Each structure stands twice: as C-alpha cells, then as structure tokens.
Amino acid sequence: MLIDRVSPSNRTRAMGLVWPDALRIRGSVIRITFPAVFLLTGYGVGIAFLIRKYEYLALQVAILTPVAVVLSLLLVFRTNSAYDRFWEGRKIWQDLKVNSRNMIRNTWCGVVEKSIEDSVQKRQALKNVAAFMISIKHYIRGEDGLDYADYDGLLSPEFRMQVLARRSAHNYGSINGAHNSPNRGQSSSELRIQQQQSNEGWERTVEVPFPSLLLYEIQKFVEYLMDNGVVHGQLYVNMLNTVNAMGTLLGGCERIISTPIPMAYHIHLHHSLYLYLLVLPWALGSMGLAKTIILQFIISFMMIGIDAISREIQNPFGYDANDLDLDAFCEAMLVELNYALNHHAPKALEVVENTLTNNMDRGKNSSDGTDAASCT
C-alpha cells in the first residue's frame, strides 16, 4: 500500500484526462481563501475608483516594499513551523509502525507456547499491538469511546468491560465526517479545519488515555512471558524496550497536538497580513483599474494562501486532503497482524495447532457427509 500518492510528474488524472497540479482544486486551499481574496479584490476596485477621482490619495509603491519584506519573513517562519510539525508527525508514525511491526514479529516468532493459556495470551497480545496504533489515531483526533469499526475483533470482551466500567465520556473536539467516525459526512472541509484548530492545545488530565491502557496490557503480557519462562532474557529486554519506545512515540503525538502555535504570534501575523492587503490598493490605484484588480487578486491569493496552508498542515492528524493518511498506517499494521494470526508460529503449541486442524477437518468431513446424504 502506497502512503504517498503524489504523481512524480506533478499531474493527476480526472475525467479521462491528465491535468497538471496547477489546475487542481482538490487538496488546494482555493475554497478556503476564496471569500477573503474576493472581498479584498472588491475592496481594491473601490479604492481604485476613489483614487481615479482623487489622485492625491495615492501612495507610492516603494513605501510598501519594506513592509512586504517583513511580512514575507513572518509568513516563511509560520510555514516552516507548521511543516516542522507535519514532518515530525510523519516520522513519529513511521517509527510507530516499525516498532509495532517489530513487537508483532518478536512475539510471533520468539514466544514459546507451553500451554493453552500461553497461546491465548500470545494471540491477544498481537491484537493489542494493532489496536494500540488505531487507538492513537482516534485519541489524537479527539475521538473517545470504543464505538469504531476498526476496533472490531481486536479488543477482548474482558478488556472492553474493564474500560467501559472505569472511564467516563469526554469529548475534546472530535472531528466529524471521516472514516470510522459516528458523525460521518456531516461537516465540510472548512468546518473540519476549524474543529482541528479547536482540538489543538488540549491536555487530558482527568483519566489515563486509552492508548496508555493498551500499553499497560501489552507490558503485562511481556511480564507474563518472563514470569512463566516462555521467552529468553534478551528477547524480554528487547520487547520491553519496544514497549517503552511505543510509549515515547505516543508522547510525541501528544506533544504535537497539545502545543499550538503561540496565540500572540498568530494574531500579530494576521493583523500584519490584512493591514498590508488593505493598504496595498492605495499604492496600486494609480496604475489603473485593470492593473489594480489583477495585482490585488494575485497578491492577496498568494499571501492568504500561504497562511491557509500553514494552518492546514500544522495539525497533520486530521481528515483533510493534506493530512497524514493515518488509516493507511493502521491498515498496514492489520495486514501484518493477519499474517501472524493465519500462519503457523515457529514455537506454537502443537496441541493447539492440531486441535484447530482436526476441528477444521472434522467440520469439512461433516459437511461432505451432509452433501452426500442430500444427494442420495
């Protein structure tokens, strides 16, 4: 499964035609920036008519040059800060997938099954590792509860009852309209961005996060292995280090989602941006109506678009077209889990494997006997 779906040729295919990225709308910020750009362009037209009548009101373009340089530096810093958060989130989720994959492989290959209980514990631990990644996806999106389709078949009934009995319902700005969300299809892209922004900066102190509860279960399994002598010492240390690394990666996701861009910088940037765009037509008006409209539209679209891009990618864990595809990461882990659960482990309990094989053969024979009886 490919995570990066961007074409190397910077082209996309739609309606049977190949379109360059310059003509794409999906994934761009055109819909977000259009209202502000349209209003500022209309404002520029009004100022151009005013300057045509009162030419002494026009400003010299050279006056705004230093302001444009300072504003460009502010926008560059804002964009770089947002992309740093996006790239850090990408690295965290790749490391999370690698550590989860290692945990599943080490458990599947290295754990000796001496009893039925060992086999049951081993298979549930594998499912808990996959559920851990999925729980982080929902947790950093502010989606509480267990009523999501991607948890089906992974969590044990006992653990579900334990979680439901201990925790109370909390909602910290869940993002609507997405895969595996109870409120799918009820919000537009712009509304989802607002919800993502409101979801930033939260810090949960009332209860233990659900991913942490799964980490407790995974580490309990690791300690169970050591106590019952079904794993050698070095592998126990490696698995324990992997569990700690998974906890560190969970903390990295929390750091990104709970550390918003400082409000003072955010406000000052927008004050500077819109003041510049409001003063700009007074310098462009002396060039004529047509030039004022064109330049005001282009400059407004470029600067507001850069700010909109930084706002969209500063939280890379949402549902927008430019966010990380967390579902793809989780699906890759489910593929790994299915392989482990559907193949014979090197140190699996032979009694369990023979029992499963005999049950399958017995069921097949009974079905064949029934078919033969029906034919006669």
Side-chain angles (χ1 to χ4, degrees):
M1 178 177 297
L2 296 177
I3 304 298
D4 187 2
R5 298 185 176 87
V6 179
S7 173
S9 62
N10 292 325
R11 295 176 179 271
T12 184
R13 182 176 296 275
M15 297 183 294
L17 301 175
V18 178
W19 300 86
D21 282 352
L23 300 179
R24 293 182 61 179
I25 296 179
R26 176 174 173 77
S28 70
V29 293
I30 293 178
R31 296 177 181 176
I32 305 172
T33 60
F34 178 77
V37 172
F38 179 78
L39 290 176
L40 287 170
T41 304
Y43 165 79
V45 173
I47 298 301
F49 277 111
L50 184 63
I51 292 178
R52 174 181 291 184
K53 186 175 182 180
Y54 305 100
E55 296 183 359
Y56 63 90
L57 294 177
L59 300 176
Q60 295 182 359
V61 178
I63 297 178
L64 296 180
T65 301
V67 180
V69 173
V70 174
L71 183 58
S72 299
L73 293 176
L74 290 174
L75 287 173
V76 167
F77 177 78
R78 175 75 170 89
T79 305
N80 288 341
S81 300
Y83 186 76
D84 285 343
R85 294 159 62 95
F86 179 89
W87 182 241
E88 184 182 4
R90 176 63 178 86
K91 291 189 294 183
I92 286 175
W93 269 84
Q94 180 63 31
D95 292 341
L96 182 62
K97 184 175 74 170
V98 171
N99 280 275
S100 300
R101 180 184 293 159
N102 291 340
M103 190 66 181
I104 289 179
R105 188 181 64 254
N106 289 333
T107 302
W108 184 73
C109 294
V111 174
V112 180
E113 301 179 20
K114 296 182 178 180
S115 64
I116 299 295
E117 179 65 20
D118 294 343
S119 301
V120 174
Q121 292 280 354
K122 178 178 178 178
R123 283 154 178 75
Q124 185 56 51
L126 297 177
K127 295 179 181 179
N128 286 341
V129 174
F132 174 72
M133 280 194 66
I134 294 173
S135 67
I136 293 181
K137 178 187 71 172
H138 291 298
Y139 172 64
I140 59 181
R141 288 173 172 175
E143 299 169 348
D144 294 309
L146 305 179
D147 299 328
Y148 296 96
D150 40 12
Y151 284 138
D152 293 346
L154 297 179
L155 304 177
S156 65
E158 296 80 8
F159 181 68
R160 281 180 176 269
M161 293 300 297
Q162 177 185 352
V163 172
L164 295 176
R166 290 179 53 185
R167 66 185 303 186
S168 55
H170 294 274
N171 194 335
Y172 296 82
S174 60
I175 306 172
N176 295 329
H179 180 60
N180 288 322
S181 176
N183 300 317
R184 184 174 183 179
Q186 296 182 5
S187 61
S188 62
S189 176
E190 293 83 358
L191 181 58
R192 289 200 301 272
I193 290 177
Q194 296 174 3
Q195 291 169 331
Q196 290 177 36
Q197 292 172 348
S198 65
N199 191 40
E200 296 173 2
W202 55 258
E203 192 70 50
R204 305 188 182 195
T205 57
V206 178
E207 60 185 16
V208 178
F210 182 58
S212 293
L213 295 179
L214 282 170
L215 272 184
Y216 276 102
E217 294 298 313
I218 296 173
Q219 185 158 346
K220 280 168 55 179
F221 168 72
V222 176
E223 299 300 332
Y224 168 87
L225 299 179
M226 191 64 182
D227 293 340
N228 291 272
V230 295
V231 66
H232 58 80
Q234 185 59 48
L235 183 57
Y236 164 77
V237 174
N238 292 341
M239 295 176 71
L240 194 60
N241 290 336
T242 303
V243 173
N244 292 332
M246 293 164 67
T248 301
L249 295 172
L250 169 61
C253 291
E254 290 178 324
R255 181 177 66 252
I256 293 176
I257 201 67
S258 63
T259 308
I261 301 296
M263 184 58 65
Y265 179 83
H266 184 75
I267 293 175
H268 182 70
L269 173 62
H270 282 85
H271 285 170
S272 303
L273 174 61
Y274 285 100
L275 282 175
Y276 173 79
L277 293 177
L278 288 174
V279 175
L280 182 63
W282 296 92
L284 300 177
S286 58
M287 298 181 179
L289 180 61
K291 293 181 179 180
T292 300
I293 295 175
I294 295 174
L295 291 176
Q296 179 74 3
F297 176 83
I298 293 176
I299 296 174
S300 298
F301 175 74
M302 292 174 58
M303 291 192 167
I304 296 177
I306 293 174
D307 177 65
I309 291 173
S310 62
R311 283 189 291 117
E312 184 166 339
I313 67 175
Q314 70 181 9
N315 178 8
F317 303 133
Y319 291 107
D320 296 293
N322 294 295
D323 290 332
L324 296 174
D325 193 352
L326 302 187
D327 285 333
F329 284 100
C330 295
E331 289 170 3
M333 189 50 50
L334 291 177
V335 171
E336 196 88 13
L337 174 65
N338 288 331
Y339 177 86
L341 293 178
N342 291 293
H343 288 75
H344 179 76
K347 300 180 180 180
L349 186 64
E350 294 297 334
V351 176
V352 176
E353 299 294 336
N354 293 336
T355 302
L356 294 176
T357 303
N358 293 335
N359 288 339
M360 293 176 61
D361 293 339
R362 192 177 298 115
K364 182 179 180 180
N365 293 334
S366 61
S367 62
D368 292 342
T370 303
D371 293 340
S374 60
C375 292
T376 56

